[in-house]
Amino acid sequence: MIKACIRVLSLLFAVSVISFLLVSASPIDPVQQYINGLGTAVSPQQRAEIEDYWGVNEPPIQRYFSWLGELLHGNLGESAIYRRPVGEIIGERFVNSLALMFCAWVLAGVIGFSLGCVMGMFQDKWADRILKKICYILSSVPTFWLGLMFLLVFSVWLKWFPIGFSSPIGVLDEDVTFGQKLYHLILPAFTLSLMSFANIALHTRQKLVDVLHSEYVLFARARGEGRRTILLRHGLRNILFPALTLQFASFAELFGGSVMAENVFSYPGLGSAVAAAGLNSDVPLLLGVTLFSALFVCVGNMIANLLYGVVDPQVREVVE
Amino acid sequence: MKKINHRTRIVILTVMMTVLLVAVYALGAMIPDRAVAGSFLNASKPPSWEHPFGTDALGRDLLMRTLKGLAVSMTIGLCASLISAGIAVLVGIGAAIGSSHVDGVINWLIDLVMGVPHTVLVILISFAMGRGLKGLLIGIAATHWCSLARLIRGEVLQLRSQQYVAISRKLGKSGGWILVHHLLPHLIPQFFVGLILMFPHAILHEASVSFLGFGLSPEEPAIGIILSESMRYLSTGMWWSAVLPGLTLVLLVLLMDQIGEYLRKILDPYTAQE
C-alpha cells in the first residue's frame, strides 16, 4: 500500500518535472503571447517589469522550485487567456468534463459489456461476426470524425441536437436548467462512449468464451442448466469484475477521447481548455491540466489495481 | 482450376493490399502543388465527375487535397512508428536482460508515459518544439512505444528461460552472441507486426492532433486540417468536405490494420499453417 503510494507520488513528481522541462524548452515566448493578449502597446520598460514579475530570466531550476512550492500550497498560477487562477478554471471545467466522461464511461461500460456477453454467447454465429466487425471498424475511426458525422446528421440535418456548447447561447449561466445541460451533453457523451466500448466488448467476449469452454460449464450443462442460467451463475460472476477493472484502467484513453470530443462539440471542459492553452501558449493552464490529467489517470489505475486484488484471490494472496 | 490454399490466399491478399497502399501513397506524393491550387470560380461545389470529392470553400479540389494529405500523414506515421518501434525494441530487450533495477526503472518509465493521456502529451511535446512537423513527429514517436515494449519484454523473458539459451550459456557463449543468434531472430516478426499495427494508430493520432491545430501549418494539405476546416462550414451544408476525406482516412486505416493482421497470421508459426 505504502509502496503504491510512493510509486504514484514519484510518477506525479516526474510528470511535473518533465512537463515543466518541455514547457521551458519551448521556443514560443509566453511573455510575448501575454502581451499580445493584453491588446495594448507595452513599452520595453513595462515588458521588463512583466519579465521580472514572472521570473522569466531566472534559471529554470529555481523557477521550477518556486512553481512547485506554490503548487504544493494549492496555487497553480494565473491563466494567461482567462485571467483567472488556474485552480479555479480546472475545478469549474472538470465538473463539465466529469459529467461528460462519466456518462460516456457508464454508457460504454454497459453497452460494451452487454454486447460482449451477446458475442460470447453466440460465438462464431452471425451476431458475433457482425458485432466483431463493428467493433474493429469503430476502433479505426478517429473520435473527432465520428463527432463531426454526428454533428452533421443529428444537428445540421435532423436538427435534433444543438451544434455545441454546454448550454444554450444567450442564456446566463445561472439560468441554465439541468435539463438543458443534459440535452447538450447527449451527443458528445454518445460519441465518446462509441469510441471506447469496442475494447471492453472484445475483452468481455474473450473472457466469456474462455469460461464457456471450461469444464465446470460442461458439468453445469450436463446437470441440465440452460444457457441463461449458465450465463447468470457462471459467466457473469467471472467476467463482471475483470471488465470493471479494465474500465477503470482505461481512464487515459477516456481523457484523450474527451479532448477530441470536447473540441468538436465546443464543450467547455478540460479538453478544450488544454487545446486552447496549447494554442495560445497559456503555460500555467497547460501545466495545470497536464498534471491534473496525470492525477486523474493515476486514480483510475489505483482503483483498477485495488479491484484486481479484491477480485482475484491469487493476486490478493501475493499482496498479503 | 488449381485450388489455392488458405495461406497462399492470405499472402496474395496481403500483397494486393500493400500494393494498393503504396499506390495511394505514391499518388498522393506525386500530385503537384498546382493541382491543389484554388480558384474561387468553383468554390464549395458538391461532388461531381470533375471533382469526385467536391471542392472546399477556397475552390481547391478535395480529392487531390485528401490524397496529398494522406501521403503527408503516412510519411509522418511511418517515421514516427519506425522510431517508436525502435525505442520499443531497445527498451524491451533492455528491461528483459538488464538487472532488476533496470527493469524497475523501465517499467516505471512506461507507467509514466502511459500515465498522461496521449493527446495531452502530444500537445505538450508539440508545444515544446514550437509546433510544426518536428514536434508532431517526436510527440507521436514518444508516446507509441509502450505496449510494444511490454510485449517484447515478455517475449524476451520467456525466451531466456528456454533450454537452448541455457545450453548456449553453458557452452560459454557470451550474452551478446546469445542476443544476436537466439533472441533477435525471434523478435523480428514481433517487430514488424508491431510496427505495422502501430502505423494506423500513429496516423490517427497525427490526424487528431493536426485537427486540434497543433502540428502542420494550415496551408499544408494534412487530413486533420481539411477536417478542421470542414467543421467551420458544416452548418452551411458542405457535408462532402467532412464526410469524404474522413471516410478515406478510415478506409486507409482499416486497410493497414488488415495488412497487419494478415502479416501476423503469416509470420506467427502457430497460425501460419492454417
Side-chain angles (χ1 to χ4, degrees), chain A residues 7 10-11 14-15 18-19 22 25-27 140 142 144-145 148-149 152 157 252 255-256 260 263-264 275 278-279 281 286 293-294 297, chain B residues 108 111-112 115-117 119-120 124 127-128 130-131 204 207-208 211-214 227 231 234 239 242-243 246-247 249-250 253-254 257:
Chain A
R7 199 178 171 83
S10 73
L11 283 177
V15 169
I18 290 173
S19 47
L22 283 174
S26 173
S140 300
F144 64 95
W145 187 66
L148 274 178
M149 291 302 101
L152 190 65
W157 287 347
F255 197 95
M260 301 312 300
N263 276 292
V264 173
L279 286 177
S281 309
L286 191 59
S293 67
V297 174
Chain B
W108 182 82
D111 276 356
L112 180 65
V116 182
T119 320
V120 176
L124 204 62
F127 178 76
R131 296 185 204 123
L204 284 183
S208 309
F211 176 80
L212 288 181
F214 299 88
L227 288 173
M231 200 167 87
L234 208 58
W239 56 269
V243 176
L247 206 61
L249 175 68
V250 171
V253 168
L254 281 174
D257 249 344

Short mmCIF file of all heavy atoms in Angstrom, two decimals, chain A residues 7 10-11 14-15 18-19 22 25-27 140 142 144-145 148-149 152 157 252 255-256 260 263-264 275 278-279 281 286 293-294 297, chain B residues 108 111-112 115-117 119-120 124 127-128 130-131 204 207-208 211-214 227 231 234 239 242-243 246-247 249-250 253-254 257:
data_model
loop_
_atom_site.label_atom_id
_atom_site.label_comp_id
_atom_site.label_asym_id
_atom_site.label_seq_id
_atom_site.Cartn_x
_atom_site.Cartn_y
_atom_site.Cartn_z
N ARG A 7 4.96 5.10 -5.37
CA ARG A 7 5.03 4.99 -6.82
C ARG A 7 4.21 6.10 -7.50
O ARG A 7 4.67 6.78 -8.39
CB ARG A 7 4.51 3.62 -7.24
CG ARG A 7 4.95 3.23 -8.62
CD ARG A 7 4.44 1.84 -8.94
NE ARG A 7 4.68 1.55 -10.34
CZ ARG A 7 5.83 1.12 -10.82
NH1 ARG A 7 6.84 0.90 -10.01
NH2 ARG A 7 5.98 0.89 -12.12
N SER A 10 5.88 9.43 -6.97
CA SER A 10 7.07 9.59 -7.81
C SER A 10 6.66 9.84 -9.26
O SER A 10 7.27 10.66 -9.95
CB SER A 10 7.96 8.36 -7.71
OG SER A 10 7.39 7.27 -8.40
N LEU A 11 5.61 9.16 -9.71
CA LEU A 11 5.14 9.38 -11.08
C LEU A 11 4.64 10.81 -11.26
O LEU A 11 4.99 11.48 -12.23
CB LEU A 11 4.02 8.40 -11.42
CG LEU A 11 4.46 6.97 -11.74
CD1 LEU A 11 3.25 6.09 -12.00
CD2 LEU A 11 5.38 6.95 -12.95
N ALA A 14 7.49 13.15 -11.38
CA ALA A 14 8.18 13.09 -12.67
C ALA A 14 7.37 13.80 -13.75
O ALA A 14 7.94 14.50 -14.60
CB ALA A 14 8.41 11.63 -13.05
N VAL A 15 6.05 13.63 -13.72
CA VAL A 15 5.22 14.32 -14.71
C VAL A 15 5.41 15.82 -14.58
O VAL A 15 5.56 16.54 -15.58
CB VAL A 15 3.73 13.95 -14.53
CG1 VAL A 15 2.85 14.86 -15.37
CG2 VAL A 15 3.50 12.51 -14.92
N ILE A 18 8.91 16.75 -15.99
CA ILE A 18 9.02 16.63 -17.44
C ILE A 18 8.17 17.69 -18.14
O ILE A 18 8.62 18.33 -19.09
CB ILE A 18 8.63 15.21 -17.88
CG1 ILE A 18 9.71 14.24 -17.43
CG2 ILE A 18 8.46 15.13 -19.38
CD1 ILE A 18 9.37 12.81 -17.64
N SER A 19 6.95 17.87 -17.66
CA SER A 19 6.12 18.86 -18.35
C SER A 19 6.72 20.26 -18.19
O SER A 19 6.68 21.07 -19.11
CB SER A 19 4.67 18.81 -17.85
OG SER A 19 4.62 18.79 -16.47
N LEU A 22 9.58 20.51 -20.64
CA LEU A 22 9.08 20.65 -22.01
C LEU A 22 8.61 22.07 -22.26
O LEU A 22 8.92 22.67 -23.30
CB LEU A 22 7.93 19.67 -22.25
CG LEU A 22 8.32 18.22 -22.48
CD1 LEU A 22 7.10 17.33 -22.56
CD2 LEU A 22 9.12 18.11 -23.77
N ALA A 25 11.41 24.45 -22.58
CA ALA A 25 12.21 24.28 -23.80
C ALA A 25 11.52 24.91 -25.00
O ALA A 25 12.12 25.06 -26.05
CB ALA A 25 12.43 22.79 -24.06
N SER A 26 10.27 25.28 -24.83
CA SER A 26 9.51 25.78 -25.98
C SER A 26 10.08 27.09 -26.51
O SER A 26 10.41 27.99 -25.74
CB SER A 26 8.05 26.00 -25.57
OG SER A 26 7.38 26.61 -26.62
N PRO A 27 10.21 27.18 -27.83
CA PRO A 27 10.69 28.44 -28.42
C PRO A 27 9.61 29.52 -28.42
O PRO A 27 9.90 30.68 -28.73
CB PRO A 27 11.07 28.04 -29.84
CG PRO A 27 10.23 26.86 -30.13
CD PRO A 27 10.00 26.15 -28.83
N SER A 140 -11.03 1.87 -35.59
CA SER A 140 -10.22 2.55 -36.62
C SER A 140 -10.76 3.93 -36.96
O SER A 140 -10.21 4.60 -37.82
CB SER A 140 -10.18 1.71 -37.90
OG SER A 140 -9.63 0.46 -37.64
N PRO A 142 -11.41 7.77 -36.23
CA PRO A 142 -10.97 8.81 -35.30
C PRO A 142 -12.17 9.46 -34.59
O PRO A 142 -13.20 9.70 -35.21
CB PRO A 142 -10.24 9.82 -36.18
CG PRO A 142 -10.65 9.52 -37.57
CD PRO A 142 -11.13 8.12 -37.62
N PHE A 144 -12.76 12.41 -33.55
CA PHE A 144 -13.25 13.72 -33.99
C PHE A 144 -14.08 13.59 -35.26
O PHE A 144 -15.05 14.33 -35.46
CB PHE A 144 -12.10 14.71 -34.17
CG PHE A 144 -11.12 14.33 -35.25
CD1 PHE A 144 -11.27 14.85 -36.52
CD2 PHE A 144 -10.07 13.50 -34.99
CE1 PHE A 144 -10.37 14.53 -37.52
CE2 PHE A 144 -9.17 13.16 -35.97
CZ PHE A 144 -9.32 13.67 -37.24
N TRP A 145 -13.73 12.61 -36.09
CA TRP A 145 -14.51 12.45 -37.32
C TRP A 145 -15.91 11.90 -37.00
O TRP A 145 -16.89 12.36 -37.56
CB TRP A 145 -13.79 11.54 -38.31
CG TRP A 145 -14.46 11.47 -39.63
CD1 TRP A 145 -14.59 12.50 -40.52
CD2 TRP A 145 -15.15 10.36 -40.19
NE1 TRP A 145 -15.31 12.07 -41.61
CE2 TRP A 145 -15.66 10.77 -41.44
CE3 TRP A 145 -15.38 9.05 -39.76
CZ2 TRP A 145 -16.38 9.92 -42.26
CZ3 TRP A 145 -16.10 8.21 -40.59
CH2 TRP A 145 -16.60 8.65 -41.82
N LEU A 148 -17.86 14.71 -35.83
CA LEU A 148 -18.27 15.55 -36.97
C LEU A 148 -19.48 14.94 -37.68
O LEU A 148 -20.44 15.64 -38.03
CB LEU A 148 -17.13 15.67 -37.98
CG LEU A 148 -16.11 16.75 -37.75
CD1 LEU A 148 -15.04 16.68 -38.81
CD2 LEU A 148 -16.77 18.10 -37.76
N MET A 149 -19.44 13.61 -37.87
CA MET A 149 -20.55 12.95 -38.55
C MET A 149 -21.84 13.07 -37.74
O MET A 149 -22.91 13.32 -38.27
CB MET A 149 -20.23 11.46 -38.76
CG MET A 149 -19.14 11.19 -39.75
SD MET A 149 -19.48 11.86 -41.36
CE MET A 149 -18.48 13.33 -41.32
N LEU A 152 -23.16 16.49 -38.09
CA LEU A 152 -23.75 16.68 -39.41
C LEU A 152 -25.14 16.07 -39.46
O LEU A 152 -26.11 16.71 -39.89
CB LEU A 152 -22.84 16.03 -40.45
CG LEU A 152 -23.15 16.30 -41.90
CD1 LEU A 152 -22.94 17.78 -42.17
CD2 LEU A 152 -22.24 15.48 -42.80
N TRP A 157 -28.65 18.18 -40.14
CA TRP A 157 -29.72 17.66 -40.97
C TRP A 157 -31.02 17.44 -40.20
O TRP A 157 -32.07 17.91 -40.58
CB TRP A 157 -29.29 16.35 -41.64
CG TRP A 157 -28.30 16.57 -42.73
CD1 TRP A 157 -27.99 17.77 -43.30
CD2 TRP A 157 -27.49 15.60 -43.38
NE1 TRP A 157 -27.03 17.60 -44.26
CE2 TRP A 157 -26.71 16.27 -44.33
CE3 TRP A 157 -27.35 14.22 -43.24
CZ2 TRP A 157 -25.81 15.63 -45.15
CZ3 TRP A 157 -26.45 13.56 -44.06
CH2 TRP A 157 -25.68 14.26 -45.00
N ALA A 252 -7.05 6.86 -19.21
CA ALA A 252 -6.18 7.66 -20.07
C ALA A 252 -6.81 7.84 -21.44
O ALA A 252 -6.86 8.95 -21.98
CB ALA A 252 -4.80 7.01 -20.20
N PHE A 255 -9.81 10.17 -21.22
CA PHE A 255 -9.45 11.58 -21.17
C PHE A 255 -9.01 12.07 -22.55
O PHE A 255 -9.43 13.13 -23.02
CB PHE A 255 -8.33 11.80 -20.14
CG PHE A 255 -8.18 13.22 -19.74
CD1 PHE A 255 -8.81 13.69 -18.61
CD2 PHE A 255 -7.42 14.10 -20.49
CE1 PHE A 255 -8.69 15.01 -18.24
CE2 PHE A 255 -7.29 15.42 -20.12
CZ PHE A 255 -7.92 15.87 -19.00
N GLY A 256 -8.17 11.25 -23.20
CA GLY A 256 -7.70 11.62 -24.54
C GLY A 256 -8.87 11.78 -25.50
O GLY A 256 -8.93 12.72 -26.28
N MET A 260 -10.71 15.29 -27.71
CA MET A 260 -11.19 15.41 -29.08
C MET A 260 -12.68 15.76 -29.12
O MET A 260 -13.11 16.66 -29.83
CB MET A 260 -10.96 14.11 -29.85
CG MET A 260 -9.55 13.65 -29.94
SD MET A 260 -8.38 14.90 -30.42
CE MET A 260 -9.02 15.33 -32.02
N ASN A 263 -13.50 19.30 -28.22
CA ASN A 263 -13.14 20.30 -29.22
C ASN A 263 -14.10 20.31 -30.40
O ASN A 263 -14.38 21.36 -30.96
CB ASN A 263 -11.71 20.07 -29.68
CG ASN A 263 -10.72 20.72 -28.74
OD1 ASN A 263 -10.67 21.94 -28.65
ND2 ASN A 263 -9.99 19.93 -28.00
N VAL A 264 -14.58 19.13 -30.78
CA VAL A 264 -15.54 19.08 -31.89
C VAL A 264 -16.84 19.76 -31.48
O VAL A 264 -17.42 20.54 -32.24
CB VAL A 264 -15.80 17.63 -32.32
CG1 VAL A 264 -16.91 17.58 -33.34
CG2 VAL A 264 -14.55 17.02 -32.89
N ALA A 275 -6.42 22.32 -25.18
CA ALA A 275 -6.12 22.68 -26.56
C ALA A 275 -5.97 24.19 -26.70
O ALA A 275 -5.03 24.68 -27.33
CB ALA A 275 -7.22 22.18 -27.49
N GLY A 278 -2.68 25.25 -25.18
CA GLY A 278 -1.54 24.95 -26.04
C GLY A 278 -1.44 25.89 -27.21
O GLY A 278 -0.37 26.33 -27.59
N LEU A 279 -2.60 26.22 -27.80
CA LEU A 279 -2.60 27.07 -28.99
C LEU A 279 -2.26 28.51 -28.64
O LEU A 279 -1.65 29.22 -29.43
CB LEU A 279 -3.96 27.02 -29.68
CG LEU A 279 -4.25 25.74 -30.45
CD1 LEU A 279 -5.65 25.78 -31.02
CD2 LEU A 279 -3.24 25.55 -31.56
N SER A 281 -0.47 29.45 -25.98
CA SER A 281 0.71 29.49 -25.11
C SER A 281 0.39 29.93 -23.69
O SER A 281 1.09 30.74 -23.11
CB SER A 281 1.77 30.44 -25.68
OG SER A 281 1.99 30.10 -27.01
N LEU A 286 -1.71 25.08 -19.19
CA LEU A 286 -1.24 23.85 -19.84
C LEU A 286 -0.63 22.91 -18.80
O LEU A 286 -0.95 21.72 -18.73
CB LEU A 286 -0.21 24.21 -20.91
CG LEU A 286 0.21 23.10 -21.87
CD1 LEU A 286 -0.99 22.57 -22.61
CD2 LEU A 286 1.23 23.62 -22.85
N SER A 293 -4.55 15.80 -15.43
CA SER A 293 -4.92 14.61 -16.19
C SER A 293 -4.10 13.41 -15.71
O SER A 293 -4.62 12.29 -15.62
CB SER A 293 -4.72 14.84 -17.68
OG SER A 293 -3.36 14.97 -17.97
N ALA A 294 -2.82 13.65 -15.36
CA ALA A 294 -2.00 12.55 -14.85
C ALA A 294 -2.58 12.04 -13.53
O ALA A 294 -2.66 10.83 -13.30
CB ALA A 294 -0.57 13.02 -14.64
N VAL A 297 -5.65 9.90 -14.29
CA VAL A 297 -5.31 8.56 -14.77
C VAL A 297 -4.77 7.71 -13.64
O VAL A 297 -5.11 6.53 -13.50
CB VAL A 297 -4.27 8.66 -15.90
CG1 VAL A 297 -3.81 7.28 -16.32
CG2 VAL A 297 -4.87 9.38 -17.09
N TRP B 108 8.81 1.71 -14.68
CA TRP B 108 8.37 2.99 -14.12
C TRP B 108 8.20 4.01 -15.25
O TRP B 108 7.23 4.76 -15.30
CB TRP B 108 9.41 3.46 -13.10
CG TRP B 108 9.07 4.72 -12.40
CD1 TRP B 108 8.25 4.86 -11.34
CD2 TRP B 108 9.56 6.03 -12.72
NE1 TRP B 108 8.18 6.18 -10.98
CE2 TRP B 108 8.97 6.91 -11.80
CE3 TRP B 108 10.42 6.53 -13.69
CZ2 TRP B 108 9.23 8.28 -11.83
CZ3 TRP B 108 10.67 7.89 -13.71
CH2 TRP B 108 10.09 8.74 -12.78
N ASP B 111 5.09 3.27 -17.15
CA ASP B 111 3.95 3.77 -16.38
C ASP B 111 3.82 5.28 -16.51
O ASP B 111 2.71 5.82 -16.58
CB ASP B 111 4.12 3.41 -14.90
CG ASP B 111 3.63 2.01 -14.62
OD1 ASP B 111 3.12 1.39 -15.56
OD2 ASP B 111 3.78 1.54 -13.48
N LEU B 112 4.99 5.94 -16.55
CA LEU B 112 4.97 7.40 -16.63
C LEU B 112 4.35 7.85 -17.95
O LEU B 112 3.47 8.72 -17.99
CB LEU B 112 6.41 7.91 -16.52
CG LEU B 112 6.61 9.42 -16.59
CD1 LEU B 112 5.94 10.06 -15.40
CD2 LEU B 112 8.07 9.77 -16.63
N GLY B 115 0.83 7.20 -18.08
CA GLY B 115 0.07 7.89 -17.04
C GLY B 115 -0.49 9.23 -17.49
O GLY B 115 -1.39 9.77 -16.85
N VAL B 116 0.04 9.76 -18.58
CA VAL B 116 -0.51 11.02 -19.10
C VAL B 116 -1.26 10.67 -20.39
O VAL B 116 -0.74 9.97 -21.22
CB VAL B 116 0.62 12.02 -19.42
CG1 VAL B 116 0.04 13.32 -19.91
CG2 VAL B 116 1.47 12.25 -18.21
N PRO B 117 -2.51 11.14 -20.53
CA PRO B 117 -3.24 10.84 -21.77
C PRO B 117 -2.42 11.26 -22.99
O PRO B 117 -1.82 12.32 -22.99
CB PRO B 117 -4.49 11.70 -21.64
CG PRO B 117 -4.69 11.88 -20.19
CD PRO B 117 -3.33 11.89 -19.58
N THR B 119 -3.03 12.27 -25.98
CA THR B 119 -3.35 13.52 -26.66
C THR B 119 -2.71 14.70 -25.93
O THR B 119 -2.13 15.59 -26.56
CB THR B 119 -4.87 13.71 -26.74
OG1 THR B 119 -5.46 12.45 -27.01
CG2 THR B 119 -5.24 14.68 -27.80
N VAL B 120 -2.83 14.68 -24.60
CA VAL B 120 -2.27 15.78 -23.81
C VAL B 120 -0.75 15.81 -23.95
O VAL B 120 -0.15 16.87 -24.13
CB VAL B 120 -2.68 15.62 -22.32
CG1 VAL B 120 -2.02 16.70 -21.48
CG2 VAL B 120 -4.17 15.67 -22.17
N LEU B 124 1.64 18.71 -25.45
CA LEU B 124 2.73 19.29 -24.67
C LEU B 124 4.05 19.26 -25.45
O LEU B 124 4.77 20.25 -25.51
CB LEU B 124 2.87 18.48 -23.37
CG LEU B 124 3.50 19.19 -22.18
CD1 LEU B 124 2.67 20.37 -21.79
CD2 LEU B 124 3.63 18.23 -21.03
N PHE B 127 4.00 21.63 -28.29
CA PHE B 127 4.20 22.99 -27.78
C PHE B 127 5.69 23.24 -27.51
O PHE B 127 6.23 24.30 -27.84
CB PHE B 127 3.37 23.18 -26.51
CG PHE B 127 3.54 24.52 -25.87
CD1 PHE B 127 2.93 25.63 -26.42
CD2 PHE B 127 4.31 24.67 -24.74
CE1 PHE B 127 3.08 26.87 -25.84
CE2 PHE B 127 4.47 25.91 -24.15
CZ PHE B 127 3.85 27.01 -24.70
N ALA B 128 6.34 22.23 -26.91
CA ALA B 128 7.75 22.39 -26.56
C ALA B 128 8.62 22.56 -27.79
O ALA B 128 9.63 23.25 -27.76
CB ALA B 128 8.21 21.17 -25.76
N GLY B 130 7.71 24.04 -30.47
CA GLY B 130 7.25 25.18 -31.25
C GLY B 130 6.33 24.77 -32.38
O GLY B 130 6.37 25.34 -33.46
N ARG B 131 5.50 23.78 -32.14
CA ARG B 131 4.53 23.26 -33.13
C ARG B 131 5.24 22.82 -34.41
O ARG B 131 6.45 22.75 -34.47
CB ARG B 131 3.46 24.30 -33.44
CG ARG B 131 2.64 24.58 -32.19
CD ARG B 131 1.48 25.50 -32.46
NE ARG B 131 1.13 26.15 -31.20
CZ ARG B 131 1.10 27.47 -31.02
NH1 ARG B 131 1.37 28.28 -32.00
NH2 ARG B 131 0.79 27.96 -29.85
N LEU B 204 -3.76 8.01 -37.07
CA LEU B 204 -4.95 8.55 -36.41
C LEU B 204 -4.56 9.66 -35.42
O LEU B 204 -5.24 10.69 -35.34
CB LEU B 204 -5.70 7.45 -35.66
CG LEU B 204 -6.52 6.50 -36.53
CD1 LEU B 204 -7.26 5.51 -35.67
CD2 LEU B 204 -7.51 7.29 -37.37
N ALA B 207 -3.65 12.77 -37.31
CA ALA B 207 -4.84 13.48 -37.79
C ALA B 207 -5.53 14.21 -36.64
O ALA B 207 -5.94 15.37 -36.77
CB ALA B 207 -5.80 12.49 -38.44
N SER B 208 -5.63 13.55 -35.48
CA SER B 208 -6.30 14.17 -34.33
C SER B 208 -5.59 15.43 -33.90
O SER B 208 -6.21 16.47 -33.67
CB SER B 208 -6.34 13.21 -33.14
OG SER B 208 -6.84 11.98 -33.49
N PHE B 211 -5.88 18.14 -36.29
CA PHE B 211 -7.25 18.65 -36.21
C PHE B 211 -7.36 19.70 -35.12
O PHE B 211 -8.02 20.73 -35.29
CB PHE B 211 -8.20 17.49 -35.95
CG PHE B 211 -9.63 17.90 -35.76
CD1 PHE B 211 -10.42 18.18 -36.85
CD2 PHE B 211 -10.18 18.00 -34.49
CE1 PHE B 211 -11.74 18.56 -36.68
CE2 PHE B 211 -11.49 18.38 -34.32
CZ PHE B 211 -12.27 18.66 -35.42
N LEU B 212 -6.68 19.46 -34.00
CA LEU B 212 -6.73 20.41 -32.89
C LEU B 212 -5.99 21.70 -33.21
O LEU B 212 -6.17 22.69 -32.54
CB LEU B 212 -6.13 19.79 -31.63
CG LEU B 212 -6.95 18.70 -30.96
CD1 LEU B 212 -6.23 18.20 -29.74
CD2 LEU B 212 -8.32 19.21 -30.59
N GLY B 213 -5.12 21.67 -34.24
CA GLY B 213 -4.41 22.89 -34.61
C GLY B 213 -2.95 22.87 -34.24
O GLY B 213 -2.24 23.84 -34.43
N PHE B 214 -2.47 21.73 -33.67
CA PHE B 214 -1.04 21.61 -33.42
C PHE B 214 -0.46 20.91 -34.63
O PHE B 214 -1.16 20.28 -35.39
CB PHE B 214 -0.79 20.80 -32.16
CG PHE B 214 -1.38 21.43 -30.96
CD1 PHE B 214 -2.70 21.17 -30.61
CD2 PHE B 214 -0.67 22.32 -30.20
CE1 PHE B 214 -3.27 21.78 -29.52
CE2 PHE B 214 -1.23 22.92 -29.11
CZ PHE B 214 -2.54 22.66 -28.77
N LEU B 227 -10.23 18.42 -42.26
CA LEU B 227 -11.42 18.15 -41.45
C LEU B 227 -11.71 19.30 -40.50
O LEU B 227 -12.88 19.60 -40.24
CB LEU B 227 -11.25 16.84 -40.69
CG LEU B 227 -11.32 15.61 -41.59
CD1 LEU B 227 -10.97 14.36 -40.82
CD2 LEU B 227 -12.70 15.48 -42.21
N MET B 231 -15.18 21.67 -40.47
CA MET B 231 -16.07 21.88 -39.33
C MET B 231 -16.69 23.27 -39.37
O MET B 231 -17.83 23.46 -38.98
CB MET B 231 -15.29 21.70 -38.04
CG MET B 231 -16.16 21.41 -36.86
SD MET B 231 -15.22 20.85 -35.46
CE MET B 231 -14.78 22.38 -34.72
N LEU B 234 -19.64 23.30 -41.72
CA LEU B 234 -20.57 22.19 -41.56
C LEU B 234 -22.02 22.68 -41.59
O LEU B 234 -22.88 22.10 -42.26
CB LEU B 234 -20.29 21.50 -40.22
CG LEU B 234 -20.63 20.04 -40.14
CD1 LEU B 234 -19.90 19.26 -41.21
CD2 LEU B 234 -20.27 19.50 -38.77
N TRP B 239 -21.50 19.12 -46.64
CA TRP B 239 -21.27 17.82 -45.99
C TRP B 239 -20.09 17.08 -46.58
O TRP B 239 -19.38 16.37 -45.90
CB TRP B 239 -22.53 16.96 -46.09
CG TRP B 239 -23.00 16.74 -47.49
CD1 TRP B 239 -23.90 17.51 -48.16
CD2 TRP B 239 -22.59 15.71 -48.39
NE1 TRP B 239 -24.07 17.02 -49.43
CE2 TRP B 239 -23.29 15.91 -49.59
CE3 TRP B 239 -21.71 14.62 -48.29
CZ2 TRP B 239 -23.11 15.09 -50.69
CZ3 TRP B 239 -21.55 13.81 -49.39
CH2 TRP B 239 -22.25 14.04 -50.58
N ALA B 242 -16.56 17.14 -45.09
CA ALA B 242 -16.28 16.43 -43.84
C ALA B 242 -16.39 14.93 -44.04
O ALA B 242 -15.58 14.18 -43.49
CB ALA B 242 -17.27 16.88 -42.76
N VAL B 243 -17.36 14.48 -44.83
CA VAL B 243 -17.62 13.05 -44.93
C VAL B 243 -16.54 12.34 -45.73
O VAL B 243 -15.92 11.39 -45.26
CB VAL B 243 -19.00 12.79 -45.59
CG1 VAL B 243 -19.22 11.31 -45.79
CG2 VAL B 243 -20.10 13.38 -44.73
N GLY B 246 -12.74 12.13 -44.48
CA GLY B 246 -12.71 11.30 -43.27
C GLY B 246 -12.90 9.84 -43.59
O GLY B 246 -12.21 8.97 -43.06
N LEU B 247 -13.84 9.58 -44.50
CA LEU B 247 -14.12 8.21 -44.90
C LEU B 247 -12.88 7.58 -45.53
O LEU B 247 -12.55 6.42 -45.27
CB LEU B 247 -15.28 8.19 -45.88
CG LEU B 247 -16.10 6.92 -45.94
CD1 LEU B 247 -16.71 6.64 -44.59
CD2 LEU B 247 -17.19 7.05 -46.98
N LEU B 249 -9.82 8.35 -44.93
CA LEU B 249 -8.87 8.08 -43.84
C LEU B 249 -9.23 6.78 -43.14
O LEU B 249 -8.37 5.93 -42.90
CB LEU B 249 -8.89 9.25 -42.85
CG LEU B 249 -8.06 9.08 -41.60
CD1 LEU B 249 -6.59 9.07 -41.93
CD2 LEU B 249 -8.35 10.17 -40.59
N VAL B 250 -10.53 6.61 -42.82
CA VAL B 250 -10.96 5.41 -42.11
C VAL B 250 -10.67 4.17 -42.95
O VAL B 250 -10.15 3.17 -42.44
CB VAL B 250 -12.46 5.50 -41.78
CG1 VAL B 250 -12.96 4.18 -41.24
CG2 VAL B 250 -12.71 6.60 -40.77
N VAL B 253 -7.02 3.36 -42.86
CA VAL B 253 -6.62 2.80 -41.57
C VAL B 253 -7.07 1.35 -41.47
O VAL B 253 -6.32 0.47 -41.01
CB VAL B 253 -7.21 3.65 -40.43
CG1 VAL B 253 -7.07 2.93 -39.11
CG2 VAL B 253 -6.51 4.98 -40.34
N LEU B 254 -8.29 1.07 -41.93
CA LEU B 254 -8.78 -0.31 -41.91
C LEU B 254 -7.90 -1.20 -42.78
O LEU B 254 -7.58 -2.33 -42.40
CB LEU B 254 -10.22 -0.36 -42.43
CG LEU B 254 -11.29 0.05 -41.44
CD1 LEU B 254 -12.64 0.10 -42.11
CD2 LEU B 254 -11.33 -0.92 -40.28
N ASP B 257 -4.71 -1.92 -40.93
CA ASP B 257 -4.98 -2.86 -39.85
C ASP B 257 -5.06 -4.28 -40.38
O ASP B 257 -4.53 -5.22 -39.81
CB ASP B 257 -6.31 -2.50 -39.18
CG ASP B 257 -6.09 -1.96 -37.79
OD1 ASP B 257 -4.99 -2.16 -37.28
OD2 ASP B 257 -7.01 -1.35 -37.24
#
